[in-house]
């Protein structure tokens, strides 16, 4: 059976105290709406519909970037979750299959849980959880093996409030059934809203079967404030650390390592303390990422060593057994097998050849104020300390620069470039100058 997703992303989230729509706030470098879309994508949905409202244009731009095939529809009036889902009716016209309703501010519903919902043979399936503190959650009223109805906390009786099986809001049903049930939902409740949850009672009144799939409470965590956003980040990071270690990665100090939503570390990677992985990082087997490194948008090859205190920016690509040391920044550059950039250097928009050595203080001068230019350094080249390579420029294989050289034209294979001013000595001048300066200081201070 085909599956479609309807993701509700219309809420304002006023407790975020932000001009940015709630669902665009990040957890692990991915907007909340992106987490919901990523979970749902595991089902390979035939259609994805996102219902927007507050900040619709901004949300729609992000959705289009994350999934160009997703369709966005707008809920211009905030009349409840049932009304929000109904906005997807036209976008799902002609669709035959199951619809799963998710929420853009609930990032942790797992693909496994959604698969359980997809596998359910009930007419309507609701995702529930046992709450440690039910508080204001809607309650799932079960009679035998069937779900009879969902009661919002503000509409619940004292007996219903004692129920600990709570509603996550996630629901699935056949497309035609879902919209037929929504058509009969009213707003005779404390909020005057059209509740999606009312489709359960309508389903049972029509002789249809409703059921509950349960998951861990942590999966249903919704984000409505900065405090909850921070809590969600902590939940994600803890899970990511455990997953990495379970898969064979060593984290020297797990609590200090931060992952992105898409960090990919192979077995036998070693990660030191206080390492931050931004989006788009892959690290291969045997690599060592030492303390206080920051990586984003890069690839680290096998048996490579990075850091401490190194930064790999987008486009950095390190081949096997490369070395990038302390206070080195690599951006949009390839570092070939066995090449070394051991300390205090910037290598940007460049290609460093196999077994080349980049001395301390080397800078590829890649930007002329308007455009970026590339530097090419050949295999087994030796770049002396404090060399400036003014791009576009090439150093040939087994070429060399003398320390302090400014390279402004190509260096042939095997040649040595020397580009620095001659040192001139002035005997006795240092003592004389210091005497003059001290005399001026005494006069000024007197």
């Amino acid at each position: 059976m085909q599956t479609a997703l309807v993701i509700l992303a219309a809420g304002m989230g006023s407790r975020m105290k932000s001009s940015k729509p709630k669902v665009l706030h990040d957890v692990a470098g991915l907007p909340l709406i992106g987490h919901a879309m990523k979970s749902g994508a595991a089902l390979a949905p035939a259609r994805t519909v996102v219902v927007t409202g507050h900040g619709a244009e901004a949300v729609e731009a992000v959705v289009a970037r994350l999934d160009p095939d997703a369709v966005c529809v707008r809920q211009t009036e905030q009349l409840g979750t049932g009304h929000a889902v109904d906005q997807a009716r036209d976008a799902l016209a002609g669709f035959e299959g199951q619809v799963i309703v998710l929420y853009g501010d609930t990032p942790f519903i797992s693909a496994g849980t959604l698969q359980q919902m997809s596998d359910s043979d009930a007419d309507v399936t609701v995702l529930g959880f046992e709450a440690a503190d039910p508080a204001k959650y809607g309650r799932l009223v079960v009679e035998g093996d069937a779900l009879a109805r969902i009661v919002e906390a503000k509409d619940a009786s004292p007996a219903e409030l004692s129920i600990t099986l709570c509603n996550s809001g996630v629901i699935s049903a056949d497309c035609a059934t879902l919209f037929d049930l929504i058509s009969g939902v009213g707003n005779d409740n404390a909020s005057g809203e059209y509740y999606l949850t009312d489709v359960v009672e309508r389903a049972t009144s029509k002789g249809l079967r409703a059921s509950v799939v349960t998951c861990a409470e942590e999966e249903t965590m919704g984000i409505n404030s900065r405090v909850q956003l921070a809590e969600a980040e902590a939940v994600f990071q803890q899970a990511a650390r455990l997953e990495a270690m379970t898969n064979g990665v060593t984290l020297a100090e797990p609590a200090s390592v931060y992952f992105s939503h898409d960090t990919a570390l192979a077995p036998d990677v070693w990660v030191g303390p206080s390492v931050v992985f931004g989006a788009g990082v892959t690290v291969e087997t045997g690599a060592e990422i030492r303390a206080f490194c920051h990586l984003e948008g890069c690839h680290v090859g096998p048996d490579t060593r990075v850091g401490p205190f190194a930064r790999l920016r987008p486009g950095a690509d390190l081949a096997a057994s490369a070395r990038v040391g302390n206070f080195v920044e690599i951006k949009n550059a390839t570092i070939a097998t066995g090449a070394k950039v051991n300390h205090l250097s910037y290598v940007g928009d460049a290609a460093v050849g196999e077994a080349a050595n980049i001395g301390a203080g080397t800078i590829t001068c890649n930007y002329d104020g308007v455009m970026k230019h590339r530097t090419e350094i050949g295999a087994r080249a030796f770049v002396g300390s404090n060399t400036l390579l003014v791009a576009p420029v090439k150093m040939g294989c087994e070429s060399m620069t003398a320390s302090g050289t400014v390279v402004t034209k190509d260096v042939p294979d095997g040649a040595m470039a020397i580009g620095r001013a001659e040192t001139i000595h002035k005997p006795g001048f240092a003592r004389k100058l210091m005497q003059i300066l001290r005399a001026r200081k005494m006069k000024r201070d007197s």
Side-chain angles (χ1 to χ4, degrees):
M1 178 187 294
Q2 291 190 105
T3 300
L5 301 177
V6 174
I7 304 176
L8 306 187
M12 294 179 62
S14 59
R15 283 193 285 155
M16 302 296 279
K17 305 295 183 183
S18 175
S19 60
K20 183 163 63 174
K22 176 174 63 170
V23 296
L24 297 189
H25 288 266
D26 285 358
V27 167
L30 183 67
L32 294 172
I33 184 70
H35 284 274
M37 293 173 70
K38 186 176 181 180
S39 294
L43 298 180
R47 301 189 197 181
T48 298
V49 181
V50 179
V51 182
T52 64
H54 173 66
E57 290 185 3
V59 174
E60 288 162 5
V62 171
V63 169
R65 174 172 58 82
L66 294 173
D67 180 2
D69 295 326
V71 175
C72 290
V73 297
R74 295 190 182 182
Q75 183 189 25
T76 54
E77 294 182 274
Q78 304 296 299
L79 300 178
T81 52
H83 178 260
V85 175
D86 201 39
Q87 307 313 297
R89 185 185 294 268
D90 290 343
L92 291 175
F95 176 75
E96 295 182 358
Q98 182 186 50
V99 175
I100 299 181
V101 179
L102 300 173
Y103 294 82
D105 61 356
T106 306
F108 297 140
I109 305 292
S110 71
T113 294
L114 293 181
Q115 188 62 57
Q116 289 184 57
M117 296 191 70
S118 180
D119 293 340
S120 171
D121 60 0
D123 297 297
V124 176
T125 302
V126 172
L127 181 62
F129 62 97
E130 288 288 344
D133 178 12
K136 296 182 180 180
Y137 291 118
R139 306 305 203 271
L140 300 183
V141 181
V142 176
E143 296 176 357
D145 294 331
L147 175 63
R149 64 187 182 279
I150 304 174
V151 182
E152 297 295 325
K154 52 195 165 188
D155 300 317
S157 67
E160 289 167 337
L161 288 173
S162 68
I163 296 171
T164 57
L165 182 61
C166 294
N167 177 39
S168 71
V170 176
I171 192 169
S172 68
D174 171 76
C175 184
T177 300
L178 177 64
F179 287 110
D180 177 61
L181 295 172
I182 286 175
S183 295
V185 169
N187 63 342
D188 183 19
N189 53 60
S191 297
E193 295 183 348
Y194 298 90
Y195 293 151
L196 179 62
T197 51
D198 286 350
V199 302
V200 171
E201 193 165 4
R202 279 189 49 75
T204 57
S205 71
K206 288 174 169 282
L208 301 177
R209 187 167 68 89
S211 68
V212 178
V213 166
T214 59
C215 68
E217 182 175 2
E218 197 170 77
E219 285 190 42
T220 68
M221 181 179 186
I223 311 302
N224 291 298
S225 68
R226 303 279 184 161
V227 172
Q228 291 175 337
L229 190 69
E231 291 170 349
E233 184 73 40
V235 167
F236 178 93
Q237 294 301 334
Q238 180 63 8
R241 293 162 189 152
L242 290 173
E243 182 180 11
M245 291 185 288
T246 300
N247 291 336
V249 175
T250 295
L251 304 180
E253 188 179 291
S256 69
V257 177
Y258 282 80
F259 291 89
S260 176
H261 66 98
D262 59 355
T263 304
L265 306 183
D268 289 324
V269 166
W270 187 93
V271 181
S274 300
V275 171
V276 176
F277 294 100
V281 176
T282 58
V283 183
E284 296 191 38
T285 297
E288 182 179 333
I289 313 298
R290 295 183 170 182
F292 295 100
C293 290
H294 189 286
L295 296 79
E296 56 182 323
C298 63
H299 168 256
V300 178
D303 302 314
T304 293
R305 188 172 68 225
V306 178
F309 294 99
R311 184 181 183 196
L312 302 185
R313 291 173 59 195
D317 189 351
L318 280 54
S321 303
R323 298 289 182 265
V324 172
N326 50 292
F327 304 105
V328 170
E329 182 176 343
I330 309 289
K331 189 271 295 185
N332 192 30
T334 56
I335 311 298
T337 301
K340 299 177 181 178
V341 191
N342 274 329
H343 31 228
L344 299 162
S345 296
Y346 170 70
V347 179
D349 297 293
V352 178
E354 182 177 347
N357 186 87
I358 309 299
T362 296
I363 298 173
T364 58
C365 306
N366 56 330
Y367 185 48
D368 63 10
V370 177
M371 299 176 65
K372 298 289 181 71
H373 303 278
R374 287 191 67 77
T375 297
E376 296 183 19
I377 299 170
R380 298 173 299 284
F382 185 94
V383 180
S385 297
N386 203 34
T387 292
L388 303 182
L389 297 154
V390 183
V393 71
K394 297 181 181 179
M395 286 187 61
C397 295
E398 299 177 350
S399 62
M400 180 181 290
T401 68
S403 295
T405 293
V406 179
V407 179
T408 58
K409 58 184 179 180
D410 294 352
V411 182
D413 291 353
M416 182 174 186
I418 305 175
R420 59 191 180 199
E422 180 182 357
T423 302
I424 299 173
H425 296 166
K426 296 185 176 183
F429 184 75
R431 292 192 182 96
K432 182 177 180 181
L433 177 61
M434 292 304 293
Q435 289 171 357
I436 293 171
L437 294 175
R438 289 184 183 115
R440 288 178 180 174
K441 184 174 185 295
M442 289 179 63
K443 183 178 180 180
R444 185 195 67 188
D445 294 343
S446 62

